[in-house]
Each structure stands twice: as C-alpha cells, then as structure tokens.
Amino acid sequence: MWASARRSWPSCGGSPVFFGRDDLFDFVRENLGGLGQENILVLVGQRRMGKTSLLRQLPAHLGEEYLPVFLDGQALGFEGGVAGLLYDVALEIVEVLASQGIDGEPPTLDDLAERPTHTFEKQFLPQVVQALEGRVLLLLFDEFEELEMRVRGGELPPTVFSYLRHLMQ
C-alpha cells in the first residue's frame, strides 16, 4: 500500500567544499524537462573529474518537482540477473520515498524472479508514480559502465539496455 504524506522536502544544502559548478547545475535544470518529456542526460568525463560528486549534489540544486534517486552501478545487485538489478533499483527508490515521508513496498525478489520487467514496470512503477503526486522520478545512474561489464560477463542479458531505454521513454 502506498500512502503519500505531503511534506516539504528537507533542505539538502550543498557541500561547502563543492563549488564552482553552477553552470552545470543550471544546464541540468534547464534540460531535464519534466512530465511528458523524454530528455535523457549523460554526464561524461575523465576519472576524478567530479561526476559522482555532481550527481550527489544534484538534489540540493533541483526543485521540489523532482525526486532524485542515486544509483551506484558498482553497488547494485546483479545476482539473479535482471531481477536482482530491478530489485536493488526498487529498494533504492523506496528508500528515497521513505526519506520524503512516502510509504511504499518494493516488489519481492520472488515476484521479480518470476516476471522481472512486468512486475517492475506494470506493478511497482505505477504505484511509485501515483505516490509522487506529479513529481518526476529522476534516476541518477553512476558507474553505468558496470552494466556493460555485467552484460559482457553474462550476468545480464544485452536486452537490459533496450529495456532501460524503454522505461525512460
């Protein structure tokens, strides 16, 4: 059961040691779009350039209309293939919802194991969207190349990329 408690977002505040990136935050805000828009932003750069820091600071620079969920590709569970991946994504979404005073239940791993994409897309996500009451769920993938490594290693099917693209659209 999903219940939304209308609460104002807590002030995230930026880190005092993270500064000088206002142009990037402005670019992201201007290009995110919103409901009904299919903008996908990709941040590319050399190692140690601050991509992860930027993603972690993004919630402090976005308005209340977004619910950003940080997903670390190195920490996502790949045991169980797509079911394990979607289970960990669902857990992260539910954790962020809880931090906003919104109760939710992730799908069980058993449900995802039986029909992973159907359970995630047709059962879990509609409940999340309803609970958000018009806000936009923003998935912030860090270390996305981990997915490619898992595909090459046979832990994930190559279709995972087209499925994620489908979800984003």
Side-chain angles (χ1 to χ4, degrees):
M1 181 58 123
W2 292 81
S4 173
R6 278 303 247 172
R7 221 172 67 167
S8 63
W9 283 35
S11 173
C12 297
S15 167
V17 296
F18 190 84
F19 58 90
R21 304 287 174 92
D22 291 335
D23 56 335
L24 285 173
F25 291 121
D26 291 342
F27 175 83
V28 170
R29 271 192 308 273
E30 291 168 8
N31 289 281
L32 274 179
L35 287 176
Q37 293 189 354
E38 298 176 1
N39 293 349
I40 299 169
L41 301 179
V42 178
L43 181 63
V44 180
Q46 298 293 324
R47 294 184 49 79
R48 310 295 305 158
M49 294 294 291
K51 298 178 300 293
T52 298
S53 296
L54 184 97
L55 289 177
R56 290 202 177 276
Q57 290 296 317
L58 198 54
H61 295 271
L62 295 176
E64 289 187 19
E65 67 268 22
Y66 296 100
L67 184 74
V69 177
F70 181 84
L71 299 165
D72 182 353
Q74 294 176 333
L76 292 173
F78 295 101
E79 302 83 18
V82 172
L85 171 64
L86 295 179
Y87 181 70
D88 277 4
V89 170
L91 289 177
E92 292 294 330
I93 291 170
V94 168
E95 185 177 313
V96 171
L97 287 171
S99 76
Q100 301 299 309
I102 302 171
D103 296 324
E105 279 292 319
T108 67
L109 193 50
D110 287 339
D111 288 340
L112 285 166
E114 188 174 317
R115 296 184 71 194
T117 57
H118 175 82
T119 300
F120 188 81
E121 181 180 353
K122 303 295 185 190
Q123 295 174 9
F124 175 68
L125 284 182
Q127 294 173 357
V128 170
V129 169
Q130 182 179 2
L132 289 177
E133 297 179 342
R135 290 181 279 178
V136 176
L137 180 65
L138 183 60
L139 300 180
L140 307 173
F141 279 95
D142 192 28
E143 303 295 342
F144 191 78
E145 64 275 4
E146 281 292 318
L147 293 175
E148 181 181 1
M149 290 173 42
R150 303 302 175 148
V151 167
R152 287 184 181 172
E155 296 170 80
L156 288 173
T159 56
V160 71
F161 296 114
S162 58
Y163 178 68
L164 291 174
R165 181 176 185 270
H166 160 75
L167 284 179
M168 288 184 250
Q169 291 180 336

